[in-house]
Amino acid sequence: MQLTDTKYIQNRIPNELKAVIIKALDFYPDLAEVEIEFRLSENIRKSVMQAQPKFNTMFGSRKKRTYLIKISSFFSLKGKVTPIHLLPEDVLIGWIGHELGHIMDYLNRGNWSMILFGIGYMTSKSFIISAERVADTHAVNHGLGDYILATKDFILHQAGMSERYIQKINKLYLPPEEIMLMMENKSVKD
């Protein structure tokens, strides 16, 4: 499926990441009319990327809600600070695809559900695990399984992350084996 970048004219996309963001968006035709701002940020707390609804659109119609994906401008790769856009393309597509999976989840939530989601995400580790599972499931179901695996492999084995960070990732996110099983099950259904 190849959509053109004019399809996403309503979205604000940083030039450095335009190609990978459009490739990731192409897997989500349901998001073609959804307004999403992709913003490079110097300071994202404990994260490389975050997807959230824009606060000023939270209390209106769900159909008019807009979203923000914050992307850290830099990544610590084997102890060296690297501009995020220099990471491998498949890794970035997987990472962005995962964040778009969160937005797919948000589309189905009313305002109170979104508020409860935010509280749950800030206060409950089991809620975080569930939310990350949903985002990965959306990504795999939209055909991004290989990209999600590339991202997980990069984080767990190539990026030179601390053992503490790797343990956190292993606790909160689906393991590669479960992603592969989801991909197998999806291919059997297709």
mmCIF file with all atom_site columns, all heavy atoms in Angstrom, residues 12-17 21 37-44 48-49 68-74 83-85:
data_model
loop_
_atom_site.group_PDB
_atom_site.id
_atom_site.type_symbol
_atom_site.label_atom_id
_atom_site.label_alt_id
_atom_site.label_comp_id
_atom_site.label_asym_id
_atom_site.label_entity_id
_atom_site.label_seq_id
_atom_site.pdbx_PDB_ins_code
_atom_site.Cartn_x
_atom_site.Cartn_y
_atom_site.Cartn_z
_atom_site.occupancy
_atom_site.B_iso_or_equiv
_atom_site.pdbx_formal_charge
_atom_site.auth_seq_id
_atom_site.auth_comp_id
_atom_site.auth_asym_id
_atom_site.auth_atom_id
_atom_site.pdbx_PDB_model_num
ATOM 1   N N   . ARG A 1 12 ? 1.640  17.614 10.841 1.00 0.00 ? 12 ARG A N   1
ATOM 2   C CA  . ARG A 1 12 ? 2.916  18.338 10.893 1.00 0.00 ? 12 ARG A CA  1
ATOM 3   C C   . ARG A 1 12 ? 4.012  17.304 11.103 1.00 0.00 ? 12 ARG A C   1
ATOM 4   O O   . ARG A 1 12 ? 3.999  16.569 12.087 1.00 0.00 ? 12 ARG A O   1
ATOM 5   C CB  . ARG A 1 12 ? 2.885  19.365 12.013 1.00 0.00 ? 12 ARG A CB  1
ATOM 6   C CG  . ARG A 1 12 ? 1.884  20.478 11.684 1.00 0.00 ? 12 ARG A CG  1
ATOM 7   C CD  . ARG A 1 12 ? 1.746  21.532 12.744 1.00 0.00 ? 12 ARG A CD  1
ATOM 8   N NE  . ARG A 1 12 ? 3.018  21.981 13.272 1.00 0.00 ? 12 ARG A NE  1
ATOM 9   C CZ  . ARG A 1 12 ? 3.134  22.597 14.436 1.00 0.00 ? 12 ARG A CZ  1
ATOM 10  N NH1 . ARG A 1 12 ? 2.079  22.833 15.180 1.00 0.00 ? 12 ARG A NH1 1
ATOM 11  N NH2 . ARG A 1 12 ? 4.312  22.986 14.866 1.00 0.00 ? 12 ARG A NH2 1
ATOM 12  N N   . ILE A 1 13 ? 4.928  17.239 10.126 1.00 0.00 ? 13 ILE A N   1
ATOM 13  C CA  . ILE A 1 13 ? 5.964  16.204 10.129 1.00 0.00 ? 13 ILE A CA  1
ATOM 14  C C   . ILE A 1 13 ? 7.328  16.876 9.969  1.00 0.00 ? 13 ILE A C   1
ATOM 15  O O   . ILE A 1 13 ? 7.540  17.616 9.006  1.00 0.00 ? 13 ILE A O   1
ATOM 16  C CB  . ILE A 1 13 ? 5.735  15.203 8.977  1.00 0.00 ? 13 ILE A CB  1
ATOM 17  C CG1 . ILE A 1 13 ? 4.365  14.525 9.118  1.00 0.00 ? 13 ILE A CG1 1
ATOM 18  C CG2 . ILE A 1 13 ? 6.855  14.171 8.917  1.00 0.00 ? 13 ILE A CG2 1
ATOM 19  C CD1 . ILE A 1 13 ? 3.977  13.643 7.946  1.00 0.00 ? 13 ILE A CD1 1
ATOM 20  N N   . PRO A 1 14 ? 8.282  16.598 10.882 1.00 0.00 ? 14 PRO A N   1
ATOM 21  C CA  . PRO A 1 14 ? 9.623  17.181 10.725 1.00 0.00 ? 14 PRO A CA  1
ATOM 22  C C   . PRO A 1 14 ? 10.298 16.632 9.459  1.00 0.00 ? 14 PRO A C   1
ATOM 23  O O   . PRO A 1 14 ? 10.204 15.435 9.164  1.00 0.00 ? 14 PRO A O   1
ATOM 24  C CB  . PRO A 1 14 ? 10.381 16.731 11.969 1.00 0.00 ? 14 PRO A CB  1
ATOM 25  C CG  . PRO A 1 14 ? 9.423  15.999 12.828 1.00 0.00 ? 14 PRO A CG  1
ATOM 26  C CD  . PRO A 1 14 ? 8.168  15.774 12.071 1.00 0.00 ? 14 PRO A CD  1
ATOM 27  N N   . ASN A 1 15 ? 10.956 17.502 8.730  1.00 0.00 ? 15 ASN A N   1
ATOM 28  C CA  . ASN A 1 15 ? 11.600 17.101 7.466  1.00 0.00 ? 15 ASN A CA  1
ATOM 29  C C   . ASN A 1 15 ? 12.582 15.953 7.647  1.00 0.00 ? 15 ASN A C   1
ATOM 30  O O   . ASN A 1 15 ? 12.670 15.077 6.788  1.00 0.00 ? 15 ASN A O   1
ATOM 31  C CB  . ASN A 1 15 ? 12.295 18.297 6.815  1.00 0.00 ? 15 ASN A CB  1
ATOM 32  C CG  . ASN A 1 15 ? 11.306 19.227 6.164  1.00 0.00 ? 15 ASN A CG  1
ATOM 33  O OD1 . ASN A 1 15 ? 10.229 18.808 5.742  1.00 0.00 ? 15 ASN A OD1 1
ATOM 34  N ND2 . ASN A 1 15 ? 11.658 20.498 6.086  1.00 0.00 ? 15 ASN A ND2 1
ATOM 35  N N   . GLU A 1 16 ? 13.324 15.943 8.761  1.00 0.00 ? 16 GLU A N   1
ATOM 36  C CA  . GLU A 1 16 ? 14.341 14.896 8.976  1.00 0.00 ? 16 GLU A CA  1
ATOM 37  C C   . GLU A 1 16 ? 13.735 13.502 9.034  1.00 0.00 ? 16 GLU A C   1
ATOM 38  O O   . GLU A 1 16 ? 14.421 12.523 8.760  1.00 0.00 ? 16 GLU A O   1
ATOM 39  C CB  . GLU A 1 16 ? 15.105 15.112 10.299 1.00 0.00 ? 16 GLU A CB  1
ATOM 40  C CG  . GLU A 1 16 ? 15.748 16.443 10.479 1.00 0.00 ? 16 GLU A CG  1
ATOM 41  C CD  . GLU A 1 16 ? 14.861 17.446 11.219 1.00 0.00 ? 16 GLU A CD  1
ATOM 42  O OE1 . GLU A 1 16 ? 13.636 17.458 10.976 1.00 0.00 ? 16 GLU A OE1 1
ATOM 43  O OE2 . GLU A 1 16 ? 15.390 18.218 12.016 1.00 0.00 ? 16 GLU A OE2 1
ATOM 44  N N   . LEU A 1 17 ? 12.485 13.417 9.416  1.00 0.00 ? 17 LEU A N   1
ATOM 45  C CA  . LEU A 1 17 ? 11.842 12.115 9.599  1.00 0.00 ? 17 LEU A CA  1
ATOM 46  C C   . LEU A 1 17 ? 10.676 11.888 8.641  1.00 0.00 ? 17 LEU A C   1
ATOM 47  O O   . LEU A 1 17 ? 9.944  10.901 8.768  1.00 0.00 ? 17 LEU A O   1
ATOM 48  C CB  . LEU A 1 17 ? 11.352 11.972 11.046 1.00 0.00 ? 17 LEU A CB  1
ATOM 49  C CG  . LEU A 1 17 ? 12.445 11.950 12.108 1.00 0.00 ? 17 LEU A CG  1
ATOM 50  C CD1 . LEU A 1 17 ? 11.845 12.043 13.495 1.00 0.00 ? 17 LEU A CD1 1
ATOM 51  C CD2 . LEU A 1 17 ? 13.297 10.703 11.980 1.00 0.00 ? 17 LEU A CD2 1
ATOM 52  N N   . ILE A 1 21 ? 8.214  8.535  8.631  1.00 0.00 ? 21 ILE A N   1
ATOM 53  C CA  . ILE A 1 21 ? 6.880  8.756  9.195  1.00 0.00 ? 21 ILE A CA  1
ATOM 54  C C   . ILE A 1 21 ? 5.818  8.415  8.157  1.00 0.00 ? 21 ILE A C   1
ATOM 55  O O   . ILE A 1 21 ? 4.827  7.734  8.458  1.00 0.00 ? 21 ILE A O   1
ATOM 56  C CB  . ILE A 1 21 ? 6.733  10.197 9.725  1.00 0.00 ? 21 ILE A CB  1
ATOM 57  C CG1 . ILE A 1 21 ? 7.563  10.358 11.006 1.00 0.00 ? 21 ILE A CG1 1
ATOM 58  C CG2 . ILE A 1 21 ? 5.264  10.540 9.972  1.00 0.00 ? 21 ILE A CG2 1
ATOM 59  C CD1 . ILE A 1 21 ? 7.679  11.776 11.513 1.00 0.00 ? 21 ILE A CD1 1
ATOM 60  N N   . GLU A 1 37 ? 0.376  15.584 14.993 1.00 0.00 ? 37 GLU A N   1
ATOM 61  C CA  . GLU A 1 37 ? 1.592  16.390 14.939 1.00 0.00 ? 37 GLU A CA  1
ATOM 62  C C   . GLU A 1 37 ? 2.746  15.533 15.426 1.00 0.00 ? 37 GLU A C   1
ATOM 63  O O   . GLU A 1 37 ? 2.687  14.951 16.510 1.00 0.00 ? 37 GLU A O   1
ATOM 64  C CB  . GLU A 1 37 ? 1.473  17.634 15.822 1.00 0.00 ? 37 GLU A CB  1
ATOM 65  C CG  . GLU A 1 37 ? 2.754  18.452 15.848 1.00 0.00 ? 37 GLU A CG  1
ATOM 66  C CD  . GLU A 1 37 ? 2.704  19.635 16.807 1.00 0.00 ? 37 GLU A CD  1
ATOM 67  O OE1 . GLU A 1 37 ? 1.616  19.961 17.322 1.00 0.00 ? 37 GLU A OE1 1
ATOM 68  O OE2 . GLU A 1 37 ? 3.770  20.221 17.042 1.00 0.00 ? 37 GLU A OE2 1
ATOM 69  N N   . PHE A 1 38 ? 3.790  15.435 14.622 1.00 0.00 ? 38 PHE A N   1
ATOM 70  C CA  . PHE A 1 38 ? 5.018  14.740 14.997 1.00 0.00 ? 38 PHE A CA  1
ATOM 71  C C   . PHE A 1 38 ? 6.014  15.825 15.386 1.00 0.00 ? 38 PHE A C   1
ATOM 72  O O   . PHE A 1 38 ? 6.374  16.650 14.548 1.00 0.00 ? 38 PHE A O   1
ATOM 73  C CB  . PHE A 1 38 ? 5.548  13.910 13.823 1.00 0.00 ? 38 PHE A CB  1
ATOM 74  C CG  . PHE A 1 38 ? 4.605  12.812 13.401 1.00 0.00 ? 38 PHE A CG  1
ATOM 75  C CD1 . PHE A 1 38 ? 3.566  13.066 12.521 1.00 0.00 ? 38 PHE A CD1 1
ATOM 76  C CD2 . PHE A 1 38 ? 4.753  11.533 13.899 1.00 0.00 ? 38 PHE A CD2 1
ATOM 77  C CE1 . PHE A 1 38 ? 2.695  12.061 12.126 1.00 0.00 ? 38 PHE A CE1 1
ATOM 78  C CE2 . PHE A 1 38 ? 3.888  10.521 13.510 1.00 0.00 ? 38 PHE A CE2 1
ATOM 79  C CZ  . PHE A 1 38 ? 2.857  10.782 12.632 1.00 0.00 ? 38 PHE A CZ  1
ATOM 80  N N   . ARG A 1 39 ? 6.448  15.820 16.637 1.00 0.00 ? 39 ARG A N   1
ATOM 81  C CA  . ARG A 1 39 ? 7.288  16.906 17.124 1.00 0.00 ? 39 ARG A CA  1
ATOM 82  C C   . ARG A 1 39 ? 8.604  16.365 17.680 1.00 0.00 ? 39 ARG A C   1
ATOM 83  O O   . ARG A 1 39 ? 8.603  15.521 18.579 1.00 0.00 ? 39 ARG A O   1
ATOM 84  C CB  . ARG A 1 39 ? 6.562  17.683 18.208 1.00 0.00 ? 39 ARG A CB  1
ATOM 85  C CG  . ARG A 1 39 ? 7.353  18.881 18.721 1.00 0.00 ? 39 ARG A CG  1
ATOM 86  C CD  . ARG A 1 39 ? 6.713  19.553 19.912 1.00 0.00 ? 39 ARG A CD  1
ATOM 87  N NE  . ARG A 1 39 ? 5.341  19.932 19.664 1.00 0.00 ? 39 ARG A NE  1
ATOM 88  C CZ  . ARG A 1 39 ? 4.453  20.161 20.631 1.00 0.00 ? 39 ARG A CZ  1
ATOM 89  N NH1 . ARG A 1 39 ? 4.790  20.027 21.896 1.00 0.00 ? 39 ARG A NH1 1
ATOM 90  N NH2 . ARG A 1 39 ? 3.210  20.516 20.331 1.00 0.00 ? 39 ARG A NH2 1
ATOM 91  N N   . LEU A 1 40 ? 9.704  16.870 17.150 1.00 0.00 ? 40 LEU A N   1
ATOM 92  C CA  . LEU A 1 40 ? 11.004 16.554 17.735 1.00 0.00 ? 40 LEU A CA  1
ATOM 93  C C   . LEU A 1 40 ? 11.120 17.317 19.042 1.00 0.00 ? 40 LEU A C   1
ATOM 94  O O   . LEU A 1 40 ? 10.743 18.485 19.129 1.00 0.00 ? 40 LEU A O   1
ATOM 95  C CB  . LEU A 1 40 ? 12.135 16.938 16.788 1.00 0.00 ? 40 LEU A CB  1
ATOM 96  C CG  . LEU A 1 40 ? 12.277 16.054 15.554 1.00 0.00 ? 40 LEU A CG  1
ATOM 97  C CD1 . LEU A 1 40 ? 13.298 16.642 14.584 1.00 0.00 ? 40 LEU A CD1 1
ATOM 98  C CD2 . LEU A 1 40 ? 12.686 14.641 15.952 1.00 0.00 ? 40 LEU A CD2 1
ATOM 99  N N   . SER A 1 41 ? 11.650 16.640 20.055 1.00 0.00 ? 41 SER A N   1
ATOM 100 C CA  . SER A 1 41 ? 11.718 17.234 21.380 1.00 0.00 ? 41 SER A CA  1
ATOM 101 C C   . SER A 1 41 ? 13.075 16.949 22.012 1.00 0.00 ? 41 SER A C   1
ATOM 102 O O   . SER A 1 41 ? 13.624 15.862 21.850 1.00 0.00 ? 41 SER A O   1
ATOM 103 C CB  . SER A 1 41 ? 10.598 16.653 22.252 1.00 0.00 ? 41 SER A CB  1
ATOM 104 O OG  . SER A 1 41 ? 10.664 17.157 23.546 1.00 0.00 ? 41 SER A OG  1
ATOM 105 N N   . GLU A 1 42 ? 13.582 17.940 22.716 1.00 0.00 ? 42 GLU A N   1
ATOM 106 C CA  . GLU A 1 42 ? 14.875 17.773 23.400 1.00 0.00 ? 42 GLU A CA  1
ATOM 107 C C   . GLU A 1 42 ? 14.732 16.981 24.695 1.00 0.00 ? 42 GLU A C   1
ATOM 108 O O   . GLU A 1 42 ? 15.683 16.410 25.172 1.00 0.00 ? 42 GLU A O   1
ATOM 109 C CB  . GLU A 1 42 ? 15.477 19.154 23.718 1.00 0.00 ? 42 GLU A CB  1
ATOM 110 C CG  . GLU A 1 42 ? 15.782 19.999 22.489 1.00 0.00 ? 42 GLU A CG  1
ATOM 111 C CD  . GLU A 1 42 ? 16.868 19.406 21.614 1.00 0.00 ? 42 GLU A CD  1
ATOM 112 O OE1 . GLU A 1 42 ? 17.853 18.864 22.154 1.00 0.00 ? 42 GLU A OE1 1
ATOM 113 O OE2 . GLU A 1 42 ? 16.722 19.486 20.380 1.00 0.00 ? 42 GLU A OE2 1
ATOM 114 N N   . ASN A 1 43 ? 13.525 16.982 25.268 1.00 0.00 ? 43 ASN A N   1
ATOM 115 C CA  . ASN A 1 43 ? 13.366 16.400 26.591 1.00 0.00 ? 43 ASN A CA  1
ATOM 116 C C   . ASN A 1 43 ? 12.063 15.624 26.695 1.00 0.00 ? 43 ASN A C   1
ATOM 117 O O   . ASN A 1 43 ? 11.011 16.214 26.918 1.00 0.00 ? 43 ASN A O   1
ATOM 118 C CB  . ASN A 1 43 ? 13.422 17.519 27.642 1.00 0.00 ? 43 ASN A CB  1
ATOM 119 C CG  . ASN A 1 43 ? 13.394 16.976 29.050 1.00 0.00 ? 43 ASN A CG  1
ATOM 120 O OD1 . ASN A 1 43 ? 13.706 15.815 29.282 1.00 0.00 ? 43 ASN A OD1 1
ATOM 121 N ND2 . ASN A 1 43 ? 13.004 17.811 29.986 1.00 0.00 ? 43 ASN A ND2 1
ATOM 122 N N   . ILE A 1 44 ? 12.139 14.319 26.522 1.00 0.00 ? 44 ILE A N   1
ATOM 123 C CA  . ILE A 1 44 ? 10.985 13.458 26.760 1.00 0.00 ? 44 ILE A CA  1
ATOM 124 C C   . ILE A 1 44 ? 11.335 12.611 27.971 1.00 0.00 ? 44 ILE A C   1
ATOM 125 O O   . ILE A 1 44 ? 12.327 11.876 27.965 1.00 0.00 ? 44 ILE A O   1
ATOM 126 C CB  . ILE A 1 44 ? 10.682 12.543 25.552 1.00 0.00 ? 44 ILE A CB  1
ATOM 127 C CG1 . ILE A 1 44 ? 10.404 13.375 24.310 1.00 0.00 ? 44 ILE A CG1 1
ATOM 128 C CG2 . ILE A 1 44 ? 9.505  11.640 25.868 1.00 0.00 ? 44 ILE A CG2 1
ATOM 129 C CD1 . ILE A 1 44 ? 10.167 12.540 23.073 1.00 0.00 ? 44 ILE A CD1 1
ATOM 130 N N   . VAL A 1 48 ? 11.738 7.515  24.433 1.00 0.00 ? 48 VAL A N   1
ATOM 131 C CA  . VAL A 1 48 ? 12.257 7.985  23.149 1.00 0.00 ? 48 VAL A CA  1
ATOM 132 C C   . VAL A 1 48 ? 11.124 8.594  22.324 1.00 0.00 ? 48 VAL A C   1
ATOM 133 O O   . VAL A 1 48 ? 11.304 9.571  21.626 1.00 0.00 ? 48 VAL A O   1
ATOM 134 C CB  . VAL A 1 48 ? 12.946 6.840  22.382 1.00 0.00 ? 48 VAL A CB  1
ATOM 135 C CG1 . VAL A 1 48 ? 13.393 7.287  21.003 1.00 0.00 ? 48 VAL A CG1 1
ATOM 136 C CG2 . VAL A 1 48 ? 14.145 6.322  23.174 1.00 0.00 ? 48 VAL A CG2 1
ATOM 137 N N   . MET A 1 49 ? 9.929  8.006  22.443 1.00 0.00 ? 49 MET A N   1
ATOM 138 C CA  . MET A 1 49 ? 8.749  8.526  21.747 1.00 0.00 ? 49 MET A CA  1
ATOM 139 C C   . MET A 1 49 ? 7.537  8.383  22.653 1.00 0.00 ? 49 MET A C   1
ATOM 140 O O   . MET A 1 49 ? 7.467  7.471  23.473 1.00 0.00 ? 49 MET A O   1
ATOM 141 C CB  . MET A 1 49 ? 8.493  7.769  20.435 1.00 0.00 ? 49 MET A CB  1
ATOM 142 C CG  . MET A 1 49 ? 9.570  7.940  19.413 1.00 0.00 ? 49 MET A CG  1
ATOM 143 S SD  . MET A 1 49 ? 9.111  7.186  17.839 1.00 0.00 ? 49 MET A SD  1
ATOM 144 C CE  . MET A 1 49 ? 10.719 7.179  17.032 1.00 0.00 ? 49 MET A CE  1
ATOM 145 N N   . LEU A 1 68 ? -0.547 14.106 19.275 1.00 0.00 ? 68 LEU A N   1
ATOM 146 C CA  . LEU A 1 68 ? 0.851  14.527 19.243 1.00 0.00 ? 68 LEU A CA  1
ATOM 147 C C   . LEU A 1 68 ? 1.721  13.306 19.469 1.00 0.00 ? 68 LEU A C   1
ATOM 148 O O   . LEU A 1 68 ? 1.477  12.529 20.404 1.00 0.00 ? 68 LEU A O   1
ATOM 149 C CB  . LEU A 1 68 ? 1.096  15.560 20.352 1.00 0.00 ? 68 LEU A CB  1
ATOM 150 C CG  . LEU A 1 68 ? 2.539  15.958 20.635 1.00 0.00 ? 68 LEU A CG  1
ATOM 151 C CD1 . LEU A 1 68 ? 3.145  16.680 19.433 1.00 0.00 ? 68 LEU A CD1 1
ATOM 152 C CD2 . LEU A 1 68 ? 2.613  16.834 21.883 1.00 0.00 ? 68 LEU A CD2 1
ATOM 153 N N   . ILE A 1 69 ? 2.699  13.123 18.603 1.00 0.00 ? 69 ILE A N   1
ATOM 154 C CA  . ILE A 1 69 ? 3.744  12.128 18.855 1.00 0.00 ? 69 ILE A CA  1
ATOM 155 C C   . ILE A 1 69 ? 5.038  12.894 19.048 1.00 0.00 ? 69 ILE A C   1
ATOM 156 O O   . ILE A 1 69 ? 5.541  13.542 18.120 1.00 0.00 ? 69 ILE A O   1
ATOM 157 C CB  . ILE A 1 69 ? 3.861  11.103 17.710 1.00 0.00 ? 69 ILE A CB  1
ATOM 158 C CG1 . ILE A 1 69 ? 2.582  10.267 17.613 1.00 0.00 ? 69 ILE A CG1 1
ATOM 159 C CG2 . ILE A 1 69 ? 5.088  10.205 17.928 1.00 0.00 ? 69 ILE A CG2 1
ATOM 160 C CD1 . ILE A 1 69 ? 2.586  9.211  16.525 1.00 0.00 ? 69 ILE A CD1 1
ATOM 161 N N   . LYS A 1 70 ? 5.532  12.846 20.280 1.00 0.00 ? 70 LYS A N   1
ATOM 162 C CA  . LYS A 1 70 ? 6.813  13.474 20.597 1.00 0.00 ? 70 LYS A CA  1
ATOM 163 C C   . LYS A 1 70 ? 7.908  12.464 20.288 1.00 0.00 ? 70 LYS A C   1
ATOM 164 O O   . LYS A 1 70 ? 7.797  11.283 20.633 1.00 0.00 ? 70 LYS A O   1
ATOM 165 C CB  . LYS A 1 70 ? 6.891  13.847 22.070 1.00 0.00 ? 70 LYS A CB  1
ATOM 166 C CG  . LYS A 1 70 ? 5.945  14.930 22.493 1.00 0.00 ? 70 LYS A CG  1
ATOM 167 C CD  . LYS A 1 70 ? 6.148  15.199 23.975 1.00 0.00 ? 70 LYS A CD  1
ATOM 168 C CE  . LYS A 1 70 ? 5.105  16.118 24.531 1.00 0.00 ? 70 LYS A CE  1
ATOM 169 N NZ  . LYS A 1 70 ? 5.242  16.262 25.998 1.00 0.00 ? 70 LYS A NZ  1
ATOM 170 N N   . ILE A 1 71 ? 8.948  12.956 19.645 1.00 0.00 ? 71 ILE A N   1
ATOM 171 C CA  . ILE A 1 71 ? 10.076 12.105 19.271 1.00 0.00 ? 71 ILE A CA  1
ATOM 172 C C   . ILE A 1 71 ? 11.348 12.776 19.781 1.00 0.00 ? 71 ILE A C   1
ATOM 173 O O   . ILE A 1 71 ? 11.605 13.938 19.464 1.00 0.00 ? 71 ILE A O   1
ATOM 174 C CB  . ILE A 1 71 ? 10.157 11.930 17.736 1.00 0.00 ? 71 ILE A CB  1
ATOM 175 C CG1 . ILE A 1 71 ? 8.842  11.344 17.200 1.00 0.00 ? 71 ILE A CG1 1
ATOM 176 C CG2 . ILE A 1 71 ? 11.366 11.075 17.353 1.00 0.00 ? 71 ILE A CG2 1
ATOM 177 C CD1 . ILE A 1 71 ? 8.718  11.386 15.687 1.00 0.00 ? 71 ILE A CD1 1
ATOM 178 N N   . SER A 1 72 ? 12.112 12.052 20.569 1.00 0.00 ? 72 SER A N   1
ATOM 179 C CA  . SER A 1 72 ? 13.361 12.604 21.068 1.00 0.00 ? 72 SER A CA  1
ATOM 180 C C   . SER A 1 72 ? 14.275 12.956 19.893 1.00 0.00 ? 72 SER A C   1
ATOM 181 O O   . SER A 1 72 ? 14.437 12.173 18.965 1.00 0.00 ? 72 SER A O   1
ATOM 182 C CB  . SER A 1 72 ? 14.060 11.590 21.976 1.00 0.00 ? 72 SER A CB  1
ATOM 183 O OG  . SER A 1 72 ? 15.270 12.119 22.453 1.00 0.00 ? 72 SER A OG  1
ATOM 184 N N   . SER A 1 73 ? 14.855 14.130 19.931 1.00 0.00 ? 73 SER A N   1
ATOM 185 C CA  . SER A 1 73 ? 15.748 14.576 18.851 1.00 0.00 ? 73 SER A CA  1
ATOM 186 C C   . SER A 1 73 ? 17.021 13.741 18.778 1.00 0.00 ? 73 SER A C   1
ATOM 187 O O   . SER A 1 73 ? 17.627 13.611 17.718 1.00 0.00 ? 73 SER A O   1
ATOM 188 C CB  . SER A 1 73 ? 16.136 16.045 19.049 1.00 0.00 ? 73 SER A CB  1
ATOM 189 O OG  . SER A 1 73 ? 15.005 16.861 18.994 1.00 0.00 ? 73 SER A OG  1
ATOM 190 N N   . PHE A 1 74 ? 17.408 13.193 19.927 1.00 0.00 ? 74 PHE A N   1
ATOM 191 C CA  . PHE A 1 74 ? 18.657 12.444 20.002 1.00 0.00 ? 74 PHE A CA  1
ATOM 192 C C   . PHE A 1 74 ? 18.435 11.106 20.687 1.00 0.00 ? 74 PHE A C   1
ATOM 193 O O   . PHE A 1 74 ? 17.497 10.925 21.455 1.00 0.00 ? 74 PHE A O   1
ATOM 194 C CB  . PHE A 1 74 ? 19.710 13.255 20.773 1.00 0.00 ? 74 PHE A CB  1
ATOM 195 C CG  . PHE A 1 74 ? 20.041 14.552 20.118 1.00 0.00 ? 74 PHE A CG  1
ATOM 196 C CD1 . PHE A 1 74 ? 19.432 15.729 20.536 1.00 0.00 ? 74 PHE A CD1 1
ATOM 197 C CD2 . PHE A 1 74 ? 20.939 14.605 19.068 1.00 0.00 ? 74 PHE A CD2 1
ATOM 198 C CE1 . PHE A 1 74 ? 19.722 16.931 19.919 1.00 0.00 ? 74 PHE A CE1 1
ATOM 199 C CE2 . PHE A 1 74 ? 21.227 15.800 18.438 1.00 0.00 ? 74 PHE A CE2 1
ATOM 200 C CZ  . PHE A 1 74 ? 20.616 16.970 18.867 1.00 0.00 ? 74 PHE A CZ  1
ATOM 201 N N   . PRO A 1 83 ? 21.818 11.866 16.488 1.00 0.00 ? 83 PRO A N   1
ATOM 202 C CA  . PRO A 1 83 ? 20.522 12.399 16.052 1.00 0.00 ? 83 PRO A CA  1
ATOM 203 C C   . PRO A 1 83 ? 19.576 11.243 15.708 1.00 0.00 ? 83 PRO A C   1
ATOM 204 O O   . PRO A 1 83 ? 19.980 10.278 15.055 1.00 0.00 ? 83 PRO A O   1
ATOM 205 C CB  . PRO A 1 83 ? 20.855 13.222 14.813 1.00 0.00 ? 83 PRO A CB  1
ATOM 206 C CG  . PRO A 1 83 ? 22.307 13.581 14.982 1.00 0.00 ? 83 PRO A CG  1
ATOM 207 C CD  . PRO A 1 83 ? 22.924 12.395 15.687 1.00 0.00 ? 83 PRO A CD  1
ATOM 208 N N   . ILE A 1 84 ? 18.343 11.345 16.154 1.00 0.00 ? 84 ILE A N   1
ATOM 209 C CA  . ILE A 1 84 ? 17.374 10.252 15.989 1.00 0.00 ? 84 ILE A CA  1
ATOM 210 C C   . ILE A 1 84 ? 17.204 9.855  14.527 1.00 0.00 ? 84 ILE A C   1
ATOM 211 O O   . ILE A 1 84 ? 17.062 8.677  14.212 1.00 0.00 ? 84 ILE A O   1
ATOM 212 C CB  . ILE A 1 84 ? 16.014 10.603 16.644 1.00 0.00 ? 84 ILE A CB  1
ATOM 213 C CG1 . ILE A 1 84 ? 15.144 9.351  16.794 1.00 0.00 ? 84 ILE A CG1 1
ATOM 214 C CG2 . ILE A 1 84 ? 15.273 11.672 15.884 1.00 0.00 ? 84 ILE A CG2 1
ATOM 215 C CD1 . ILE A 1 84 ? 15.379 8.565  18.016 1.00 0.00 ? 84 ILE A CD1 1
ATOM 216 N N   . HIS A 1 85 ? 17.255 10.817 13.624 1.00 0.00 ? 85 HIS A N   1
ATOM 217 C CA  . HIS A 1 85 ? 16.999 10.486 12.213 1.00 0.00 ? 85 HIS A CA  1
ATOM 218 C C   . HIS A 1 85 ? 18.125 9.660  11.589 1.00 0.00 ? 85 HIS A C   1
ATOM 219 O O   . HIS A 1 85 ? 17.964 9.151  10.488 1.00 0.00 ? 85 HIS A O   1
ATOM 220 C CB  . HIS A 1 85 ? 16.730 11.759 11.391 1.00 0.00 ? 85 HIS A CB  1
ATOM 221 C CG  . HIS A 1 85 ? 17.900 12.664 11.254 1.00 0.00 ? 85 HIS A CG  1
ATOM 222 N ND1 . HIS A 1 85 ? 18.237 13.603 12.206 1.00 0.00 ? 85 HIS A ND1 1
ATOM 223 C CD2 . HIS A 1 85 ? 18.815 12.781 10.272 1.00 0.00 ? 85 HIS A CD2 1
ATOM 224 C CE1 . HIS A 1 85 ? 19.312 14.250 11.817 1.00 0.00 ? 85 HIS A CE1 1
ATOM 225 N NE2 . HIS A 1 85 ? 19.686 13.765 10.643 1.00 0.00 ? 85 HIS A NE2 1
#
